[in-house]
Amino acid sequence: MELISGEDDCLCQREMYCVERPVFTQEYVEEQLHLRKDEPKSLVHKIKQSCRCTSKKAKSQLYSFIPILKWLPRYPVKEYLLGDVISGLSTGVMQLPQGLAYALLAGVPPVYGLYSSFYPVFLYTFFGSSRHISIGTFAVISLMIGGVAVRIAPDEMFDIMPANGTNSTDFDEKIEARDAMRVKVVVALTLLSGIIQLCLGILRFGFVAIYLTEPLVRGFTTAAAVHVFTSQLKYLLGVKTKRFREPLAVIFSFAAVLSNIMTVNVATLILGLSCILLLLGAKEINDRFKKKLPVPIPMEIIVVIVSTGVSAGLNLEESHAVAVVGKIPTGFSPPGLPDITLFKEVFVDAVAIAIVGFSMTISMAKIFALKHGYEVSGNQELIALGVCNSVGSFFQTFSVTCSMSRSLVQESTGGNTQIAGLLSSLMVLLVIVVIGYLFQPLPQTVLAAIVMVNLKGMFKQFADIPHLWRTSRLELSIWVVSFLASVSLGLDYGLLVAVTFAILTVIYRTQSPQYRILGQVPNTDIYCDVEQYEEVKEFTDIKIFQANTSLYFANSELYVSALRKKTGIDPAAILIAKKKAQKRHAREMKKANKTEKKAVLKLTNDVEMAVKHELMNDDSIIDMAANGRNGLSERNLHNTPSDELEYFMTPIISVHWIILDFTPVNFVDSVGVKTLKSIIKEYKEIGVTVLVSGCSGLVVKDLTSLNFFDPSNKRDILFHSIHDAVIHCKLKASSSALTSSEEQVLSSDTQSQI
């Protein structure tokens, strides 16, 4: 049928059976099919089976836990190596400046950004299942980490105020003490978030990311971009303000910058704006000519190198008071045990960071996997991130996740495997071990410019608003709530509000489903919405009702109300009308009886008076009395209770069958079963039979376990499809009509014989 072919949103159900065939009731299907006989296994047996170890199973588990063992021996050197080398170098030159910049967001010295750009990236090469994503520092996660660090170790705790910024030894000691405390907080937070991710991966909880729907994540990341942009304004302008943590921090931060606008460092502002223009220009060139350029222009590392040289050559820190990165120690810090006593203070934040970080990683990984034709495992990605964060925390790293901008560069420059990420981490290693100290004169405004320009892609997500307005208002509401809550309440509480609201929208969808009356496409077994298609015809004596939701406690009353409204048959109203008619008939019968008694009494009195005062023929008196009584009896004959009841109380209903299409129903609970029983009983009282079609095996199992089937509700009311139920109704109607005609013929023959 061309009427519905090719339409994704067609609200139709096609039953792929021929019209001329047996009627498949659920009872008939169960009689014809036989369940497979599976021996029940005890819990102990299941545990033994799961713990049983064979060489094949051990090898499979090892390859699953460390994917590099599976793909590295088959690595095609000639085909992949050149692309991986170019991609690794291109990504590495982005890792360096972004690691330094995002460390400022995390509230720790820049060198810890370099650590976070090496250890986790190196570890992901061995444990990650995605070939194209770039693991490392990311603005959103860094900002969430920085918020926790500032909350637990604020400047006020160390008597550091923005106006007290001097170069005194005492002030430097306070800064060092604050930074050391913040590093302890960040490292503890990273370890805990890594443990959470590792546990979720081992327990196969990779599905948790589904609760972070795309509109929620995009609204959240857009709000994070606003937070990040606002937090970088003070570095771009060279003003000194405190870092705010409480709700409405964006407004307070912006107000603090405006209140200190007269103290703007002109040299810092000029240098920062120049870097922004260069970076934006390079990004535009890379986007426009990405097919012609062999590799993207690495403007970030160019800007860092040039600005570092200019700052060192002109001594901008001393001559123009330009804030610089400062001390970057050469080499690695010795590993240390994180302070686990801080876990109770950062637990909620660790859960949020773990889930958000995993959500961003798996979303990008799935995009690239779909594009290049391979599979990624959500559980393995959780394990990989857990290992990267938990092991990295012993080496003073902060939480990492997938970077969207670096991942796009890594994929577009020819990266084929995790070797590209390994090479980028080795570039960072070179900087840490050999030339890290050279970046000490790097102005902080340059890092702020890099961060701001990298927010361009996130700010483009504002274009989601008109798109979602046209396509899905409900998803738009999720986006807007996620954005506003995250901007106003902060990223942690904003995420909680957004997830709660997203779950409420699911409840709203189940409580506000679409209810339809289906009709048949002529001469087919296709049933569609009668209000949507003109060609669809509705049966006169059959109503087919469909709701695209399950039947359970939250929507059972709505289901009943919609059924009555759509079918136009309200059993309760009909029964009430019937009772009123009965009462009205009883009153009329009572009144008629009183009238009859008065008529007989008057007739008797008249006869007696005639006997006393007049000479009359006895026959005339008898005839009068007989005529009077016969008249009353004839009147009663025409007003017998059965005729009267039939006239007043037979409902004028042309529908004799209602078919409930349970094809969209996934489950039924005890309240739903009680509702279904009530529907069948109420409609039966007014002469309407209710049938159920399209139940899945799980729904039939629910109905059976909840004692739906009893002497009043047999299994023969269930049908395999709508078409089976319709054929059953037509056969029953034909049989009833034949029986009625036979009774009429028999009655007429009997009367003729009499």
Side-chain angles (χ1 to χ4, degrees):
M1 291 293 296
E2 295 182 358
L3 170 67
I4 61 169
S5 61
E7 295 190 18
D8 293 335
D9 59 344
C10 177
L11 305 176
C12 303
Q13 176 183 1
R14 176 154 191 158
E15 309 298 344
M16 303 302 295
Y17 307 105
C18 299
V19 176
E20 296 180 359
R21 56 173 172 74
V23 178
F24 292 151
T25 63
Q26 189 68 32
E27 188 176 14
Y28 174 84
V29 172
E30 291 180 357
E31 289 176 356
Q32 298 298 316
L33 301 178
H34 303 283
L35 294 174
R36 293 182 183 273
K37 294 182 180 180
D38 295 329
E39 295 182 2
K41 297 178 181 178
S42 64
L43 180 61
V44 176
H45 183 268
K46 292 180 180 179
I47 294 175
K48 287 182 178 179
Q49 284 292 108
S50 62
C51 296
R52 185 181 178 185
C53 184
T54 62
S55 59
K56 184 178 180 180
K57 186 176 181 180
K59 185 178 180 181
S60 174
Q61 291 293 330
L62 182 62
Y63 283 176
S64 175
F65 185 71
I66 310 177
I68 193 173
L69 297 177
K70 186 175 182 180
W71 60 263
L72 187 60
R74 296 179 292 179
Y75 181 80
V77 177
K78 293 182 179 180
E79 298 178 14
Y80 283 1
L81 184 59
L82 180 60
D84 283 338
V85 170
I86 295 174
S87 176
L89 295 176
S90 301
T91 308
V93 296
M94 293 182 67
Q95 284 269 27
L96 288 171
Q98 289 186 8
L100 295 170
Y102 293 149
L104 296 179
L105 283 178
V108 294
V111 68
Y112 294 97
L114 296 179
Y115 296 159
S116 301
S117 298
F118 169 68
Y119 288 109
V121 181
F122 182 79
L123 290 170
Y124 186 82
T125 303
F126 299 91
F127 295 96
S129 62
S130 176
R131 305 174 190 172
H132 295 89
I133 63 173
S134 175
I135 293 295
T137 56
F138 185 56
V140 175
I141 299 298
S142 299
L143 183 66
M144 295 177 72
I145 294 170
V148 180
V150 172
R151 185 189 74 213
I152 297 178
D155 290 342
E156 292 79 5
M157 179 184 293
F158 303 91
D159 194 27
I160 300 173
M161 301 301 293
N164 296 337
T166 64
N167 292 324
S168 65
T169 304
D170 183 54
F171 183 78
D172 292 340
E173 291 178 354
K174 291 179 180 179
I175 292 292
E176 289 181 2
R178 181 202 65 184
D179 289 345
M181 183 61 189
R182 288 183 177 178
V183 169
K184 289 178 62 178
V185 172
V186 168
V187 168
L189 177 63
T190 302
L191 174 60
L192 186 55
S193 64
I195 292 173
I196 292 171
Q197 289 172 331
L198 194 58
C199 292
L200 291 176
I202 294 174
L203 296 176
R204 297 296 185 263
F205 271 76
F207 64 88
V208 295
I210 63 176
Y211 293 103
L212 298 181
T213 179
E214 184 179 1
L216 184 151
V217 172
R218 292 176 72 86
F220 175 79
T221 53
T222 307
V226 174
H227 278 280
V228 172
F229 186 86
T230 306
S231 68
Q232 296 303 296
L233 283 176
K234 64 179 183 180
Y235 298 112
L236 180 69
L237 301 175
V239 299
K240 297 183 181 298
T241 63
K242 63 176 287 189
R243 186 165 179 173
F244 296 91
R245 166 68 185 174
E246 61 270 12
L248 303 178
V250 171
I251 297 176
F252 292 141
S253 298
F254 193 73
V257 171
L258 290 180
S259 63
N260 291 277
I261 198 67
M262 301 304 296
T263 63
V264 170
N265 188 308
V266 178
T268 299
L269 178 60
I270 293 174
L271 183 58
L273 291 178
S274 301
C275 292
I276 288 177
L277 292 176
L278 289 173
L279 291 169
L280 287 176
K283 278 187 174 293
E284 187 66 25
I285 294 173
N286 289 335
D287 292 340
R288 185 166 297 184
F289 302 102
K290 60 182 177 181
K291 293 183 178 180
K292 297 181 179 180
L293 293 173
V295 293
I297 300 174
M299 185 55 69
E300 289 183 350
I301 192 65
I302 293 173
V303 163
V304 167
I305 294 174
V306 172
S307 59
T308 302
V310 170
S311 175
L314 299 179
N315 195 15
L316 295 180
E317 183 182 14
E318 298 293 337
S319 60
H320 295 84
V322 174
V324 297
V325 168
K327 183 179 179 181
I328 299 180
T330 302
F332 293 100
S333 299
L337 181 67
D339 187 359
I340 60 176
T341 60
L342 295 170
F343 279 5
K344 61 182 179 180
E345 298 184 58
V346 300
F347 178 76
V348 176
D349 303 280
V351 172
I353 290 171
I355 294 176
V356 172
F358 168 65
S359 176
M360 293 180 176
T361 299
I362 195 63
S363 60
M364 288 296 295
K366 286 184 176 180
I367 291 173
F368 290 127
L370 182 63
K371 181 178 179 180
H372 294 277
Y374 64 92
E375 293 184 359
V376 292
S377 169
N379 295 317
Q380 182 58 33
E381 288 301 302
L382 271 173
I383 292 174
L385 286 174
V387 170
C388 292
N389 287 323
S390 57
V391 175
S393 65
F394 291 91
F395 298 92
Q396 290 81 49
T397 67
F398 54 85
S399 292
V400 296
T401 185
C402 167
S403 168
M404 290 185 284
S405 59
R406 292 197 307 271
S407 297
L408 291 172
V409 169
Q410 180 170 317
E411 189 267 343
S412 63
T413 52
N416 296 296
T417 63
Q418 292 91 322
I419 295 295
L422 177 64
L423 293 175
S424 69
S425 68
L426 294 179
M427 286 190 63
V428 177
L429 173 64
L430 179 65
V431 173
I432 294 173
V433 174
V434 180
I435 59 175
Y437 69 95
L438 295 177
F439 293 100
Q440 291 180 168
L442 176 63
Q444 292 184 359
T445 185
V446 176
L447 298 180
I450 293 172
V451 172
M452 288 180 169
V453 171
N454 280 313
L455 297 176
K456 178 184 176 183
M458 294 186 190
F459 282 125
K460 284 184 177 180
Q461 293 176 159
F462 278 112
D464 293 347
I465 295 177
H467 172 70
L468 292 175
W469 177 264
R470 294 189 301 268
T471 56
S472 175
R473 304 285 176 85
L474 196 60
E475 289 189 336
L476 174 62
S477 66
I478 295 175
W479 195 103
V480 171
V481 169
S482 177
F483 174 78
L484 294 179
S486 301
V487 167
S488 58
L489 302 178
L491 296 181
D492 45 3
Y493 292 111
L495 179 63
L496 179 62
V497 171
V499 171
T500 304
F501 182 78
I503 294 174
L504 290 177
T505 60
V506 176
I507 298 174
Y508 170 77
R509 285 178 185 270
T510 62
Q511 290 194 304
S512 302
Q514 292 183 352
Y515 300 103
R516 312 178 189 93
I517 294 295
L518 304 183
Q520 185 185 34
V521 178
N523 302 319
T524 70
D525 53 3
I526 301 171
Y527 294 87
C528 305
D529 189 355
V530 295
E531 296 180 357
Q532 186 174 4
Y533 299 102
E534 296 178 356
E535 291 81 357
V536 174
K537 302 300 180 184
E538 189 176 358
F539 299 106
T540 56
D541 58 342
I542 304 173
K543 291 284 186 181
I544 305 172
F545 178 76
Q546 183 191 72
N548 62 338
T549 183
S550 297
L551 184 59
Y552 67 112
F553 70 94
N555 65 355
S556 57
E557 293 185 5
L558 298 173
Y559 188 92
V560 175
S561 300
L563 175 63
R564 292 172 178 174
K565 182 179 179 180
K566 286 289 185 180
T567 59
I569 304 172
D570 188 347
I574 292 175
L575 291 175
I576 291 172
K578 185 176 180 180
K579 290 180 180 180
K580 289 182 178 180
Q582 286 176 340
K583 291 180 180 180
R584 185 169 64 251
H585 179 73
R587 289 196 301 267
E588 292 179 356
M589 290 297 294
K590 187 176 181 180
K591 184 177 180 181
N593 289 334
K594 289 182 179 180
T595 305
E596 179 185 348
K597 289 179 181 179
K598 289 181 180 179
V600 173
L601 181 60
K602 182 178 180 182
L603 176 61
T604 304
N605 292 335
D606 290 343
V607 172
E608 289 177 355
M609 291 298 294
V611 170
K612 290 180 180 180
H613 300 288
E614 297 182 7
L615 296 173
M616 297 182 64
N617 192 332
D618 292 340
D619 293 337
S620 63
I621 297 174
I622 295 171
D623 290 340
M624 182 185 294
N627 289 335
R629 286 182 173 83
N630 286 337
L632 291 173
S633 63
E634 288 178 4
R635 184 170 30 180
N636 287 339
L637 181 64
H638 292 291
N639 294 291
T640 58
S642 60
D643 292 341
E644 194 75 19
L645 284 171
E646 184 178 359
Y647 177 78
F648 280 106
M649 279 159 281
T650 300
I652 305 174
I653 302 175
S654 61
V655 176
H656 304 296
W657 307 86
I658 292 179
I659 300 173
L660 303 179
D661 179 25
F662 267 38
T663 305
V665 175
N666 295 318
F667 68 91
V668 180
D669 67 354
S670 59
V671 178
V673 167
K674 291 179 181 178
T675 301
L676 190 56
K677 283 185 175 182
S678 175
I679 289 171
I680 295 173
K681 182 180 178 182
E682 288 181 357
Y683 279 94
K684 187 176 181 180
E685 290 179 359
I686 61 171
V688 178
T689 303
V690 177
L691 305 177
V692 181
S693 71
C695 291
S696 65
L698 291 176
V699 173
V700 174
K701 187 177 180 181
D702 289 341
L703 294 175
T704 304
S705 62
L706 294 170
N707 300 320
F708 171 74
F709 301 107
D710 53 32
S712 61
N713 295 315
K714 298 181 179 180
R715 300 179 81 88
D716 58 2
I717 68 169
L718 298 186
F719 290 84
H720 190 67
S721 66
I722 295 177
H723 201 58
D724 287 312
V726 170
I727 293 174
H728 172 78
C729 296
K730 289 185 175 181
L731 291 175
K732 285 287 186 181
S734 300
S735 177
S736 300
L738 182 60
T739 303
S740 177
S741 62
E742 289 177 353
E743 290 178 354
Q744 290 179 1
V745 171
L746 181 61
S747 177
S748 62
D749 290 344
T750 304
Q751 291 180 359
S752 63
Q753 290 176 5
I754 294 174

